[in-house]
Amino acid sequence: MMVALRGASALLVLFLAAFLPPPQCTQDPAMVHYIYQRFRVLEQGLEKCTQATRAYIQEFQEFSKNISVMLGRCQTYTSEYKSAVGNLALRVERAQREIDYIQYLREADECIESEDKTLAEMLLQEAEEEKKIRTLLNAIISPFSPVWPGCDNMLMGIKSLKIVKKMMDTHGSWMKDAVYNSPKVYLLIGSRNNTVWEFANIRAFMEDNTKPAPRKQILTLSWQGTGQVIYKGFLFFHNQATSNEIIKYNLQKRTVEDRMLLPGGVGRALVYQHSPSTYIDLAVDEHGLWAIHSGPGTHSHLVLTKIEPGTLGVEHSWDTPCRSQDAEASFLLCGVLYVVYSTGGQGPHRITCIYDPLGTISEEDLPNLFFPKRPRSHSMIHYNPRDKQLYAWNEGNQIIYKLQTKRKLPLK
């Protein structure tokens, strides 16, 4: 450091000397001595500054060392505190478990009594619910019609098949009124349409040239799928413009009589895998009007909903164990749901799942229920409680299936 300062002083002397008069000129000794003394003072000041800087550096190093020692101690204290807190947490958890165990011992007797009471209430509630369902299904018969004084039949087989008519359309539905004693036959062609053909009787339906000619009726709304039914002169169908709206259409007045929305997200999924256009399938049996559909949270299982046809109110709904996968159609007979399945939409067609809301019959009570062999899946299968037959549509064929039934066990 001192060497550098002295070198700088020498350079400054040489620089100032360059402005002095030439050597031949007379120099003032006093001026030279003054300049030299000033340089001595400057060198002394720079040396003091260097010493002070060294002192500051040494103090900072000592301070940094002390800080490092203190940080090390803090880390040690932090580890000790963490260990102490962990031990305290373990002790608190152990104490909480002991408190919970003591509380469990105290409430054991009360819990047993409460569980017994809850179980008794559940059994009572289930009994009341079953009684309510039985009352509902039995009471519906009386306003329906006096023709059916009771309904105690169960399906035992499909006896025969009769092809009534052949058409080019793969999908559609055909039917008679399920209640009124009318010979009229109704034809609804396609899975999305608004034209209803009314034939005077089954013969007029079978023979194209038979008089009188069919009556054509254009509905104000279009239907969706093949799940239509006719009940007491009204056509019930799923409105194509909506996902869950049921239309009650007055065929005589040619007007919409009423409409309803099925609750619970109905109509977002197909009812049957092999019926690609039907989201709500309506059905009629001895107990009245029903809707078969898929619902949210049912994991592709069918939902059965009872509908009051006069007010279009939902009377009750049941989540059934019957899957929509591999299903092609279903129908109800005496309050029991029968679901028809086929592999890949082809034969054989058989009933492998039934659902009885009253629980009086099960799949074990039934024989193997096969339909007569058909090459393709059914577009629709509907039961008519008046003539005890199934009306079906299969690959453009309008079919009637004769049924074999027997009396089921009476309700207790």
Side-chain angles (χ1 to χ4, degrees), residues 2-39:
M2 294 301 299
V3 173
L5 291 174
R6 289 175 180 175
S9 300
L11 289 174
L12 184 59
V13 170
L14 292 175
F15 177 75
L16 294 175
F19 294 96
L20 296 176
Q24 63 270 17
C25 297
T26 305
Q27 296 181 355
D28 186 356
M31 179 61 69
V32 173
H33 179 73
Y34 174 75
I35 293 173
Y36 180 76
Q37 291 296 327
R38 297 303 298 173
F39 274 107

Side-chain angles (χ1 to χ4, degrees), residues 280-295:
I280 300 174
D281 190 13
L282 299 173
V284 176
D285 73 345
E286 292 81 357
H287 292 300
L289 181 63
W290 305 78
I292 304 104
H293 54 87
S294 295

Side-chain angles (χ1 to χ4, degrees), residues 180 184 186 198 215 217 232-235 249-255 257:
Y180 285 166
K184 294 180 180 179
Y186 298 88
E198 179 186 298
R215 187 167 68 101
Q217 183 170 161
K232 290 186 177 181
F234 295 96
L235 173 65
Y249 194 89
N250 192 320
L251 292 174
Q252 184 176 2
K253 297 180 181 179
R254 301 193 176 193
T255 58
E257 187 80 9

Side-chain angles (χ1 to χ4, degrees), residues 144 172-180 185-188 196 219 223-239 246-251 272 278 280-285 288-292 305 307 309 312 330-332 380-385 391:
F144 191 109
S173 61
W174 72 292
M175 67 209 72
K176 288 184 177 181
D177 195 306
V179 179
Y180 285 166
V185 176
Y186 298 88
L187 176 67
L188 291 78
V196 177
L219 308 180
W223 66 74
Q224 171 71 44
T226 58
Q228 305 85 17
V229 296
I230 294 182
Y231 181 96
K232 290 186 177 181
F234 295 96
L235 173 65
F236 293 83
F237 63 90
H238 175 199
N239 185 7
I246 304 299
I247 300 297
K248 179 181 180 181
Y249 194 89
N250 192 320
L251 292 174
Y272 316 112
T278 302
I280 300 174
D281 190 13
L282 299 173
V284 176
D285 73 345
L289 181 63
W290 305 78
I292 304 104
T305 298
I307 300 175
L312 290 188
S330 68
F331 60 92
L332 282 108
M380 54 81 68
I381 300 177
H382 284 169
Y383 172 70
N384 188 299
Y391 290 73

